[in-house]
Amino acid sequence: MSTATNPHEKPRTPTAAELDEMTPDQVATLAANLDDVVVVKNTPKFPISGTRAERRAERAVATWFVISALSGLAFLGVYLFWPFEYVAPDQPGYFVYTLYTPLIGLLLGLAVLSLGVAVITYVKKFFPDEVSVQQRHDGPSDEVARRTVVAQLVKAGQDTTIARRSLIKRSAGAAAGVLGLGVGVAAVAPLIHNPWKGRDDADLWVTPWRSINGEKVYLRRDTGDPSEISLVRPEDQEAGSMETVFPFRESERGDEEALHAALRRSDAPVMLIRLRPGTPVVHREGQEDYHYGDFYAFSKICTHLGCPTSLYEQQTQRILCPCHQSQFLATEYGKPIFGPAARPLPQLPITVDEDGYFIARGDFNEPIGPGFWEWPGFWNRGRS
Ligand code: FES
C-alpha cells in the first residue's frame, strides 16, 4: 500500500485489511505521517553491530544494573537480619545497632540510584539520535491512530536494540526484581510480627505502669543514668511546672535490662503536671480521683500520631505537641482543643505512698498514642 510520498502531504487512511498486510515498519512510518511527524534524522548509535565500543557500552549498562541488584540484595539482608532493637550507648552491641538505619538508607539509596544510572546510561548509549518535527493536532485520536501508536512503540523498541541485548535484559531484570522484592518485604514485614501475642498481657493491652502481683509502681525521673533511681515527691516540683516521669519497681533495682526497658518503652513516658493552687479543673467522668492534689499525670504520647507532647504552657495550662500543633488542656482531663488530635491524652491515676513518693494507682484505662488503636474491640474488654 502506498502512503504519501511528500512528508507534508496527509496520507490516505488505510482500511483494516490493508493495515493487516503492512509490515510493522510500514505501519510505524504511516503512524508518523498520520501524526504529521517528519523524521528529520534517525541515526543508530552503533550502525555496525558487535564492535568493541558497543560491547563496552553494553557492559557499562549491565554493571550499573548489577550494582543495583547487589545493593538491593544487601539491603534485604540488612533489613531482615541486622540487629535493630534499641541498645543504650553504654551497652555491648551499641555500635552495631547504630549502623542499622544508615545501612538500610545507604543500600536502598544505592540500589535506586544505580538503577536510575543504568537506565539513563542505556538511553544515552543505545537510543538512536533522532530529530522529528510534529504539527499540533486538536481533538481525540481516531482508531487508525490508536493502532499505529502500538506499531510505533514496537519500532522504537527495535531501534533501541533491547531485543537482542540479553546481558542488559538479564541484569535489568535482576535489579528490578531484587528491588521490587525488597520493597515488597519492607511493606509486608511489619505485618508478620503479632502485636497481640501474649493475649491479655500483650503489649497493646498493657503499659509498664500496670502493677504486677500488687507491687508498687513508682514515678521516677530519667537522670541520664538508668541505674540511678530518682523517685519523685510532691515537694520536689514547683507549682505551674511539668516533669517527665517513668515507671519503676523495686524488683527491678539493679536489673540493668529492665531499667533500660522501662525508660525506652514508647508507652511509658508520663507528664507530671503541678497546677497552681486554686486552678479550676474539670474532671472526666469516672476519673475524678485520678489526680493527687494539684498533681495530674498524662501520657506524653500524642493521640494524633504519637509524637512526644513535650511542651507545657504554664499561663494557659495547655500541653502542646510540636509535630502538628495539637493542644490539650491540662485543666480538662487532657482534652484536645486545637489541631488534628481528636482524643484526650490518657490520664494516669496517681497517689502518694506512706513514704511520700508518687506511685501509680493502676494502669491507664485507655489506649496510649494514635487514635487508630481506638477500635471498638478495645472498649469491650472492660480494661479499667
Ligand atoms: S503527633 Fe501530635 S499533633 Fe500530630
Side-chain angles (χ1 to χ4, degrees), residues 199-255:
R199 297 176 177 273
D200 285 352
D201 291 335
D203 284 350
L204 287 181
W205 294 139
V206 298
T207 78
W209 291 99
R210 183 182 64 144
S211 171
I212 299 170
N213 298 327
E215 185 179 6
K216 280 183 198 169
V217 183
Y218 291 94
L219 279 60
R220 67 167 288 196
R221 305 181 177 84
D222 182 6
T223 61
D225 175 3
S227 56
E228 182 188 0
I229 309 302
S230 173
L231 301 181
V232 184
R233 303 165 69 101
E235 56 269 31
D236 296 343
Q237 199 169 334
E238 285 183 14
S241 69
M242 185 274 276
E243 180 162 30
T244 302
V245 293
F246 298 86
F248 168 72
R249 298 171 169 79
E250 273 302 338
S251 61
E252 292 174 349
R253 194 180 282 274
D255 181 344

Side-chain angles (χ1 to χ4, degrees), residues 301-309 320-328 338-341 370:
I301 307 304
C302 182
T303 52
H304 175 224
L305 289 180
C307 284
T309 53
L320 311 179
C321 177
C323 284
H324 314 100
Q325 283 72 53
S326 282
Q327 298 183 15
F328 307 85
F338 183 82

Side-chain angles (χ1 to χ4, degrees), residues 125-143:
K125 301 250 181 217
F126 291 101
F127 272 41
D129 289 328
E130 181 173 306
V131 177
S132 299
V133 179
Q134 181 180 29
Q135 305 299 319
R136 260 186 91 150
H137 288 261
D138 291 329
S141 307
D142 58 23
E143 193 194 332

